[in-house]
Amino acid sequence: MEAHEREPIVGRDPELARLFRVMDSETGDPVLLLLGDVGMGKSTLLDRVVRRAEAGGARVLRAEGSEPESTLAFSALHQLLRPVPAEIDGLPERQRAALYGAFGAGPATADGDLMLTGVAVLSLLSALGERGPVLLVLDDAQWFDRASLDVLSFTARRLAGEPVTMLITARVGDRLPGFDRHMPTLTLGPLDDAEAGRLLDLQPHSPTGRTRTQILDQAEGNPLALTELARAAAAPGAAAKPPPAGPLPLTAHLEKIFAARLDDLPAPTTRALMLLAAMDTVDSAIAAPAAVPDAEDDAWPPAERAGLIRRTGHTLRFSHPLVRSAVYHAAPLDARREAHLALAGLLRDEPDRRAWHLAAAATRPDADVSAELERTADRARRRGGHAAAAKALQRAADLAPRSEDTARLLVEAAAEAALTGDLAWVEELATAVRARTDDASLLAEAAAQVGRLAVLTVRHSVVFPQLVDAAVEFAPAQPSTALDVLAGAAVVRYYSGQEAQRHRIEDALSTLREDASPAWLRTWVRTESDPFDDRAGLLALLPRVAAEAQRRPDRLTTYAVMAWLLDETPRAVRAFDEAFDRWGSRGALPEGLGGAAAWSYVELGRWGRAREACARSSAVGAAAGLEHAVACAAAVDATVLAYQGDPTAARARADEALALIDPLESRSVSVFARRALGAAALAEGAYETAYDQLRTIFTADGAPVHYHASYPALADLAAAAVRAGRHAEADAIVERAARALAGNASPRLRALINRARGLLADPEDAEPHFRAALAESVLEHWPFERAQTLLDLAEWLRRRRRITEARVPLTEALETFRRMGARPWIERARAESRAAGLDVTDAAPDALAELSPQQQQIIRLAAHGLTNREIGEKLFLSPRTVSSHLYRSFPKLGVTARAQLRDLIEGPLATADHRD
């Protein structure tokens, strides 16, 4: 055992016990974030946990962050998984290719699909877990590259039920994307006076008297500071050296202490330390044998005696990350340049690492190094490492000799940074562009990149005027870019739902020449801003947009969103299907109005596909730190859960959505979440609660809170009002909506208004309204809404003693509800059917209602022949989790083998979700 491994850990017993409990627990949270300032002992605690885990037979995978590697896409993930190449080779082909593409060991997957890479890591860990417990240790994660953090945070959120524990350390105050929300956290504070004194007593030369008092005062309970200050005080000649002067932070004091130890080292030792400091972990594996003396060389003992390095077998490492920093920054500039150039010369087969070493050695603009970094950025981009690409382009801009190249590279960096979700970074790059060029096209493109990301944040009231002002500014010289920026403003208008914004968009649109930009983009702006203003005119333009989408398939989702906004849901779903089939639903950011795809599938009755779209949007949004996208997905998911009869889960998801947004800033998400809460209450028969929730999506005087999202709730509002005794108020809201929509109401909304009128009418006047609703032939594309109307009509008919007539709509409604797995509605329709004298038997498919919505989804996909791994890829779950759900579901379904599923549920599910 190494000497440092025998050292006691003073004052950390509660923290160590907490870490051990996380490792030992099979039911608790599998992830823990350990935070602490520099020197608080995070790595020491992790080392103790690792030794205990290994002694217990656990497989330990570890990655340690370092500043030099933070610029290299997937470098931390590569370090973590490097010990398990056989397990990577055992993954399914797509997942294996995604990982190798990420590591640069194979062709990158299209658009560098981070989600597929995340599923691959999840599958790999699940497979390892089948052999025994697995411990993932992510040390100094604040220095991990962003691509690795995105994949690992995606994985962390899906480890429940796996025999895998993830322990992460980071410094207090450093942002850790993906790990900084709702993550169990343990923070290491300073040692108290007694613990600090005990730690000093354990030092080889325990300080006393005034020296001890000074150390205790200066260290402020920091364990590393206590030990290193004590060591420094005991060094020969220490009494003659004044302590570091000035009000420096503790970290700076420590760096000065470490740097001071370099003064007395032999020149070969100093050179060896400098080379080691300039390397990252992979550099050391590739270049160390040729550049750095081996562990047995005479250069190392002086550094080891000075406490600067530790030797573990044949491996050398700095005793603390601050030592690396101290060695590097204390070295003269020429020594640093020499080290980087030497490493670059040894890394000719590693072009990305070579490029960064050349950049570190550059002291003036250098076109060749700038070009090398551009090529590095391109490779990172193709692998999905957008943060790494942006950093490389930003550094390439610094080294570009020509100002026009500098501005161009900064714009390209902004485009890549936008894909990370870091708006502050994009704005910083756009500011740098404005400082370096007056080229109108580059300035406009930089503004467009800011707008592209800004629309996906929750800062709608701040972002909207910025986008419109930019559109107006660019309109004379750059009309195409102006319209592109205005399209982003229209998305913000949809999210926020503020009426004043519509007028600003109309004014800005009027300043653009009609032939300035493609017609499809004008149609997009108008449709997003108000789909019920001249709906017929907008519908007439849709074929032109569809034709544009055929020429430019990347615009399929744009066309699909417009079709959904105009209540042309079948067209929307066909376009979304085609887009997803072509690109596998890839992308580094959620699409603008990303919830449109999920809503389209909900409306068409394809609830399984809707939940897949929600999972995708939520995963991408969470990885990019875009809470608005996560909130959109949560609101749609909550609605499906309510329809499927899981009101508790529905409320949790709706509350999650509401917690992420300001309802006055994001009226659309607020309305969607309230609709979900209303649906959950209706599912439970809590009609007053349902009415209270649905009433909030209309203003006090009955106007819609949101010009598009509020209207589809009219019928549910009426249904709740009837049973809550609020007829008059609801009737006024419905009639106001009917007048406001008038001839611009879609057939679907006309059907919903007629259903609402039927529910609210006097009994003798209700039938024509129900019949009018069902007469809208397009309502068959909204099967759940049609089945609700059929049930309302059947209930009215039975109460009028027209039993025979009631049976036909009852039978159709029950069949639809069963097919869709709408459990509360199944029960209501069955009760009504029995009252109408129908022989309602419990068909086998009703057993699905006993499963959770996620289990139903898994059963559906398994029935269609997908393997556990394929189901996991679709739903972003590990194969083990899928298997666990199937194991728990089979007894409830009365089956014992996977082959029985198709025969059991093919009829109901084939129609409900035929493409899932």
Side-chain angles (χ1 to χ4, degrees):
M1 181 181 292
E2 300 291 332
H4 69 271
E5 293 180 347
R6 295 192 296 269
E7 295 172 1
I9 302 177
V10 175
R12 297 302 189 201
D13 290 346
E15 292 87 351
L16 197 58
R18 170 88 182 273
L19 291 168
F20 287 163
R21 284 197 302 273
V22 172
M23 270 298 301
D24 295 340
S25 175
E26 296 182 359
T27 58
D29 199 300
V31 182
L32 181 67
L33 179 58
L34 181 63
L35 297 179
D37 289 327
V38 172
M40 283 298 178
K42 303 182 295 296
S43 298
T44 302
L45 289 174
L46 282 191
D47 288 342
R48 185 65 58 87
V49 174
V50 165
R51 291 198 300 276
R52 184 175 183 271
E54 289 176 334
R59 180 64 182 268
V60 178
L61 300 176
R62 185 167 188 166
E64 297 181 13
S66 66
E67 278 189 281
E69 281 191 275
S70 64
T71 58
L72 298 169
F74 297 106
S75 57
L77 186 66
H78 185 215
Q79 186 187 154
L80 184 75
L81 300 183
R82 193 166 49 193
V84 289
E87 284 75 8
I88 296 176
D89 288 338
L91 291 171
E93 182 179 353
R94 289 182 68 239
Q95 296 180 25
R96 182 173 66 250
L99 268 183
Y100 279 134
F103 297 156
T109 55
D111 297 323
D113 189 353
L114 283 176
M115 297 304 104
L116 182 58
T117 305
V119 170
V121 174
L122 192 60
S123 297
L124 185 151
L125 295 176
S126 183
L128 283 174
E130 292 177 359
R131 306 174 200 168
V134 179
L135 173 62
L136 303 180
V137 176
L138 313 180
D139 199 6
D140 277 326
Q142 75 276 356
W143 285 326
F144 279 19
D145 64 280
R146 177 59 187 273
S148 293
L149 281 174
D150 287 346
V151 170
L152 291 168
S153 64
F154 169 94
T155 305
R157 291 189 293 271
R158 289 159 179 82
L159 288 179
E162 301 287 344
V164 179
T165 303
M166 182 183 288
L167 300 179
I168 311 114
T169 74
R171 293 181 180 178
V172 171
D174 284 337
R175 181 170 178 264
L176 209 59
F179 289 99
D180 44 12
R181 283 190 63 251
H182 310 308
M183 188 69 69
T185 301
L186 175 62
T187 301
L188 295 181
L191 301 180
D192 62 28
D193 290 346
E195 293 164 343
R198 183 179 163 218
L199 183 58
L200 287 181
D201 291 340
L202 292 171
Q203 300 311 302
H205 301 282
S206 179
T208 59
R210 182 170 174 270
T211 301
R212 184 185 184 94
T213 301
Q214 286 180 327
I215 290 173
L216 287 170
D217 182 59
Q218 189 175 10
E220 299 176 339
N222 184 294
L224 179 66
L226 287 162
T227 56
E228 295 302 331
L229 288 170
R231 183 186 186 109
K241 295 181 181 179
L248 289 174
L250 182 59
T251 298
H253 279 311
L254 287 170
E255 282 209 32
K256 281 182 172 291
I257 289 172
F258 292 134
R261 294 179 193 165
L262 299 170
D263 295 342
D264 300 325
L265 295 179
T269 302
T270 303
R271 285 195 298 273
L273 286 170
M274 181 61 233
L275 281 165
L276 194 62
M279 292 181 178
D280 61 38
T281 54
V282 176
D283 285 346
S284 62
I286 299 170
V292 180
D294 64 37
E296 306 305 320
D297 193 277
D298 291 342
W300 295 117
E304 195 171 9
R305 288 192 294 272
L308 298 176
I309 64 163
R310 286 178 178 174
R311 191 195 314 254
T312 305
H314 296 289
T315 302
L316 294 165
R317 57 186 291 193
F318 286 107
S319 58
H320 192 276
L322 276 185
V323 177
R324 176 199 288 267
S325 179
V327 169
Y328 187 86
H329 292 292
L333 179 60
D334 286 345
R336 295 205 297 265
R337 287 192 72 246
E338 181 183 336
H340 285 296
L341 288 173
L343 292 170
L346 294 167
L347 292 167
R348 295 188 181 280
D349 294 332
E350 297 285 335
D352 296 337
R353 298 174 187 281
R354 168 184 162 79
W356 277 108
H357 281 297
L358 290 173
T363 57
R364 61 177 64 88
D366 187 315
D368 291 337
V369 177
S370 180
E372 289 264 13
L373 287 169
E374 268 199 86
R375 288 189 284 272
T376 287
D378 184 57
R379 286 187 289 269
R381 178 193 297 118
R382 285 187 275 115
R383 291 154 55 199
H386 300 291
K391 288 178 180 178
L393 288 165
Q394 190 172 9
R395 181 63 176 138
D398 293 338
L399 295 174
R402 302 192 310 165
S403 60
E404 56 266 36
D405 288 333
T406 296
R408 172 185 60 81
L409 289 165
L410 286 170
V411 169
E412 292 181 19
E416 292 302 313
L419 295 172
T420 71
D422 191 337
L423 181 57
W425 189 12
V426 180
E427 290 173 332
E428 172 195 326
L429 290 165
T431 299
V433 173
R434 289 192 292 272
R436 287 166 173 79
T437 187
D438 56 3
D439 185 308
S441 62
L442 289 175
L443 292 171
E445 181 59 26
Q449 293 303 334
V450 173
R452 178 187 183 193
L453 180 56
V455 301
L456 297 172
T457 71
V458 294
R459 297 165 43 188
H460 304 316
S461 62
V462 174
V463 166
F464 181 83
Q466 292 175 346
L467 295 177
V468 175
D469 290 346
V472 172
E473 177 186 349
F474 295 131
Q478 298 289 327
S480 295
T481 302
L483 189 53
D484 193 32
V485 173
L486 197 59
V491 175
V492 177
R493 145 74 173 157
Y494 183 90
Y495 286 147
S496 67
Q498 295 184 29
E499 187 63 15
Q501 293 178 350
R502 177 171 68 89
H503 300 302
R504 286 215 63 192
I505 288 174
E506 289 174 349
D507 292 343
L509 196 60
S510 68
T511 66
L512 292 167
R513 297 189 306 272
E514 191 69 34
D515 60 348
S517 299
W520 71 272
L521 202 49
R522 282 183 172 272
T523 308
W524 168 262
V525 172
R526 290 178 57 200
T527 304
E528 286 180 285
S529 299
D530 193 347
F532 300 125
D533 177 25
D534 187 23
R535 178 176 180 274
L538 292 171
L539 277 177
L541 295 172
L542 267 190
R544 294 173 62 184
V545 180
E548 181 76 17
Q550 290 304 313
R551 292 192 296 271
R552 291 284 304 276
D554 56 309
R555 292 182 182 151
L556 272 171
T557 53
T558 303
Y559 165 69
V561 170
M562 283 190 270
W564 171 71
L565 288 168
L566 293 168
D567 269 342
E568 293 292 311
T569 302
R571 294 196 208 184
V573 166
R574 285 194 295 271
F576 279 127
D577 278 345
E578 185 177 352
F580 293 164
D581 287 346
R582 289 192 187 191
W583 294 296
S585 186
R586 295 184 183 92
L589 288 180
E591 294 287 340
L593 294 178
W599 273 120
S600 298
Y601 290 124
V602 171
E603 293 171 8
L604 205 65
R606 293 170 59 184
W607 294 349
R609 189 67 177 254
R611 296 204 72 204
E612 289 174 34
C614 289
R616 168 73 192 183
S617 185
S618 183
V620 174
L626 298 172
E627 294 185 337
H628 195 268
V630 177
C632 287
V636 186
D637 206 32
T639 304
V640 178
L641 288 164
Y643 289 166
Q644 291 179 323
D646 193 345
T648 301
R651 279 191 292 271
R653 290 290 275 155
D655 289 343
E656 178 186 346
L658 291 171
L660 291 171
I661 55 100
D662 178 342
L664 297 179
E665 289 268 339
S666 301
R667 287 173 174 82
S668 61
V669 175
S670 177
V671 166
F672 288 140
R674 295 295 174 187
R675 279 171 53 183
L677 289 170
L682 284 172
E684 294 178 309
Y687 298 112
E688 290 188 7
T689 301
Y691 185 80
D692 290 342
Q693 291 290 351
L694 296 169
R695 181 64 183 83
T696 64
I697 67 179
F698 296 89
T699 63
D701 60 359
V705 166
H706 190 274
Y707 61 92
H708 176 265
S710 291
Y711 287 127
L714 287 167
D716 280 349
L717 176 78
V722 168
R723 293 165 175 82
R726 309 290 286 274
H727 285 71
E729 187 177 40
D731 186 65
I733 293 173
V734 170
E735 294 308 317
R736 174 170 180 153
R739 290 192 301 272
L741 289 167
N744 283 313
S746 66
R748 179 224 183 171
L749 286 183
R750 287 199 303 266
L752 289 174
I753 289 170
N754 277 314
R755 179 190 167 213
R757 285 170 166 165
L759 289 164
L760 295 166
D762 292 335
E764 61 273 13
D765 300 327
E767 183 175 12
H769 298 299
F770 291 134
R771 299 289 185 188
L774 293 168
E776 298 284 359
S777 60
V778 299
L779 196 58
E780 68 184 21
H781 297 303
W782 288 264
F784 184 61
E785 293 172 7
R786 175 176 169 79
Q788 288 176 304
T789 308
L790 287 166
L791 182 56
D792 290 334
L793 173 62
E795 289 176 336
W796 182 88
L797 289 169
R798 189 183 66 79
R799 283 158 179 72
R800 307 298 289 178
R801 301 188 183 282
R802 294 161 62 178
I803 305 296
T804 302
E805 292 178 72
R807 290 172 178 168
V808 174
L810 265 176
T811 301
E812 184 180 346
L814 180 57
E815 180 184 348
T816 300
F817 293 141
R818 279 177 166 166
R819 184 172 70 240
M820 302 181 75
R823 183 178 178 181
W825 295 90
I826 293 170
E827 295 304 316
R828 182 177 153 192
R830 287 173 59 193
E832 190 66 26
S833 297
R834 285 192 292 268
L838 289 172
D839 181 16
V840 182
T841 58
D842 290 338
D846 276 356
L848 282 172
E850 300 300 318
L851 307 181
S852 71
Q854 187 173 69
Q855 287 172 337
Q856 292 179 30
Q857 208 174 356
I858 290 170
I859 289 294
R860 179 183 297 115
L861 295 171
H864 289 142
L866 275 70
T867 66
N868 289 0
R869 289 189 184 277
E870 291 169 335
I871 295 170
E873 278 190 21
K874 273 183 167 286
L875 304 183
F876 306 109
L877 301 170
S878 73
R880 182 188 180 94
T881 299
V882 172
S883 176
S884 176
H885 280 301
L886 288 171
Y887 177 80
R888 293 196 298 270
S889 300
F890 276 20
K892 297 177 183 178
L893 294 174
V895 300
T896 57
R898 201 183 193 100
Q900 296 171 270
L901 292 177
R902 190 172 189 87
D903 291 338
L904 178 68
I905 61 177
E906 183 179 24
L909 295 180
T911 305
D913 248 335
H914 59 281
R915 298 236 357 204
D916 288 8

